[in-house]
Amino acid sequence: MDALPTQNISSSVTLSRSQEGKGQAAKETGSDTKPKKKICCACPDTKKLRDECVVEHGEAACSKWIDAHLKCLRAEGFNV
């Protein structure tokens, strides 16, 4: 156990801590453009209408509901 270099360990910890602040700043600035919800939970009303239409009539007949759902997702901040 005495053979482990303690000097290299402390320098790597210092490096990690200095890079940690940079990552935190990037997270803070990027959080404004990120959606607040997961895509599966966003726009439940249009999602339900879209899904019911596709099951009953097929995807080709439901472009109105599909477009409405995509518009809603974009309004929530998703790139779809």
Side-chain angles (χ1 to χ4, degrees), residues 5-18:
T6 57
Q7 202 171 32
N8 288 342
I9 293 172
S10 64
S11 63
S12 65
V13 170
T14 304
L15 179 62
S16 296
R17 287 183 184 161
S18 66

Side-chain angles (χ1 to χ4, degrees), residues 15 22 26 30 36 46-47 63-64 69 72-73 76:
L15 179 62
K22 291 179 184 177
K36 295 178 182 177
T46 57
K47 181 179 178 180
S63 61
K64 172 184 164 184
H69 185 58
C72 180
L73 290 174
E76 290 285 332

Side-chain angles (χ1 to χ4, degrees), residues 49-80:
L49 291 170
R50 177 205 64 184
D51 291 348
E52 288 176 359
C53 182
V54 170
V55 168
E56 292 177 18
H57 306 289
E59 189 175 339
C62 299
S63 61
K64 172 184 164 184
W65 298 115
I66 293 169
D67 292 341
H69 185 58
L70 290 175
K71 184 178 178 182
C72 180
L73 290 174
R74 289 184 189 114
E76 290 285 332
F78 293 99
N79 295 323
V80 291

